[in-house]
């Protein structure tokens, strides 16, 4: 990676508002289950898959603790590669043996089926994928870098351009994949180039000239985002921090950030008749669905586009509620809502 050997500072003093987001992350990371490998015919399958490779993997790993929803079943195989060449070797094997591969960021936009995923889940959480490098007008960050921390680090470095991402839980890889953002802008607008790896393990850089960032999507078709380089502008750190805080406060006032959710469940429709609300949240609200509940899944009372999971909720509850919302909104307004949440498998 062009980010060279620099690692992100490890003693980052969080501002309160980022601390709130991180507390949520720590809670689910602390509850991570450590699994042991028991030999069964299926395990031997995975042994065959990775035979001869120096790769650590775990079997039947519960995915719920890796997601902000805290829901869903296990991954058949989970791998945390130590570097790009390990990742490349794993990907080649998966491709040869036709194992489905799922890329996990911080799980802030993921809903995992109750039955889990029958494939290989790969998370780029090794320090190798968390490197950050600053220069006067650019910043390069690995896919595994925590976005809220990066937003603050960038302010401290006296650079502006990604304050609009304040309060969005994500890794850099997940944020680029989703073109994360909101009313203040999205990540795509400051991306200079993105390093990717395809499903055969080949690494390349994609320059912004051949990148497209649209509303919550990009034209990046490669399996992995490995790193992103941002174009930023020098600015007084205090004014960047003030802007970050302002945007976070705006978000906090309107969204139930502490609840188990994936943020907005649906994308805003791109074309709507003049007399129909333009945002998915407004459509759901006008359809009278605020507070509507199926099992442990509930439409937030604070923001109608947040479907939250209360104690005892299952992924099936959330999916049933999403479907119900879609039907009611369509019946009432003739608008088909598109899901923003990524559902595995
Ligand atoms: C409280 C809350 C508030 C939110 N607010 C916002 C908001 O304001 N704006 C917004 O846009 N989103 C918001 N979200 C949704 C979420 O934060 C974003 O979609 C974010 O980009 C997800 O990043 P992640 O790393 O958690 O990705 P994941 O949820 O882990 O994955 C999301 C998708 O990205 C893919 N992916 C992840 N990492 C990589 C990689 N390295 N390479 C290739 N593909 C990868 C996954 O396979 C999956 O398809 C919110 C979520 C929550 C829980």
């Amino acid at each position: 990676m062009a980010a060279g050997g620099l690692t992100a500072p490890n003693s980052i003093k969080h501002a309160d508002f980022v601390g709130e987001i991180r507390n949520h992350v720590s809670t689910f990371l602390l509850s991570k289950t450590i699994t042991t490998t028991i030999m069964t015919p299926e395990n031997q399958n995975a042994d065959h898959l990775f035979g001869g490779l120096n790769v650590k993997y775990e079997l039947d790993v519960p995915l719920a603790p890796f997601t902000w929803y805290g829901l869903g079943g296990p991954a058949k195989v989970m791998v945390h590669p130590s570097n790009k060449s390990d990742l490349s070797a794993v990907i080649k094997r998966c491709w040869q043996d036709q194992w489905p591969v799922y890329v996990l960021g911080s799980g802030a936009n993921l809903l995992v089926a109750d039955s889990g995923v029958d494939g290989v889940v790969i998370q780029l959480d090794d320090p190798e994928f968390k490197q950050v490098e600053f220069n006067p007008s650019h910043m390069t960050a690995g896919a595994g870098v925590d976005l809220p921390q990066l937003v603050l680090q960038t302010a401290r470095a006296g650079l502006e351009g990604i304050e609009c991402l304040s309060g969005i839980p994500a890794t850099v890889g997940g944020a680029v994949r989703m073109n994360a953002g909101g009313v203040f802008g999205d990540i795509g607008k400051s991306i200079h180039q993105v390093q990717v790896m395809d499903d055969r393990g080949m690494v390349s850089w994609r320059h912004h000239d051949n990148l497209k960032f649209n509303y919550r999507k990009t034209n990046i078709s490669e399996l992995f985002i490995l790193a992103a380089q941002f174009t930023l502008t020098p600015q007084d750190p205090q004014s960047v921090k003030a802007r970050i805080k302002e945007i976070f406060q705006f978000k906090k006032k309107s969204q139930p950030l502490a609840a188990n959710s994936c943020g907005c469940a649906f994308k805003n429709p791109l074309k709507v008749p003049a007399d129909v609300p333009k945002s998915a949240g407004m459509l759901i609200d006008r359809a009278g669905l605020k507070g509507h509940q199926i099992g442990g899944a509930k439409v937030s009372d604070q923001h109608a586009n947040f479907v939250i999971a209360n104690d005892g909720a299952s992924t099936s509850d959330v999916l049933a509620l999403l479907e119900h919302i879609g039907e009611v909104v369509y019946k009432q307004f003739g608008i088909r809502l598109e899901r923003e949440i990524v559902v595995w498998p």
Side-chain angles (χ1 to χ4, degrees), residues 103 105-109 169-171 174-175 177 180-181 216 223 225 251 261-263:
V103 191
S106 70
N109 203 39
T171 57
R177 172 65 83 210
R216 300 297 161 266
L223 191 52
I225 288 146
K251 213 168 144 55
S261 80
C262 268

Side-chain angles (χ1 to χ4, degrees), residues 9 17 67 81 123 129 134 147 152 159 277 282 298 301 308 320:
F17 49 96
T67 71
Q123 191 176 36
F129 297 104
F134 289 100
L147 188 70
L152 275 186
L159 291 167
M282 197 72 90
K298 184 181 172 193
D301 294 313
I308 60 178

Side-chain angles (χ1 to χ4, degrees), residues 183-202:
V183 287
F184 301 99
D186 55 48
I187 197 167
K189 78 175 175 48
S190 50
I191 294 278
H192 180 60
Q193 52 182 345
V194 175
Q195 191 182 39
V196 293
M197 182 183 283
D198 68 15
D199 57 3
R200 315 282 173 96
M202 291 293 295

Side-chain angles (χ1 to χ4, degrees), residues 21 24 66 68-69 102-110 124 143-144 147 166-182 216 222-226 251 255-264 306 340 342 344:
I21 291 275
H24 193 72
F66 289 92
W68 280 65
Y69 256 128
Y102 298 86
V103 191
L104 175 66
S106 70
N109 203 39
L110 277 184
L124 305 183
L147 188 70
S166 171
I168 301 181
T171 57
V172 165
V176 172
R177 172 65 83 210
M178 297 304 304
N179 189 21
R216 300 297 161 266
E222 287 83 357
L223 191 52
F224 283 93
I225 288 146
L226 298 177
K251 213 168 144 55
Q255 301 178 356
L257 297 183
N260 289 354
S261 80
C262 268
C264 287
F306 275 56
E340 184 170 327
V342 174
W344 283 359

Side-chain angles (χ1 to χ4, degrees), residues 147-158:
L147 188 70
Q149 282 191 28
L150 187 67
V151 169
L152 275 186
Q153 265 181 278
T154 306
R156 281 193 212 106

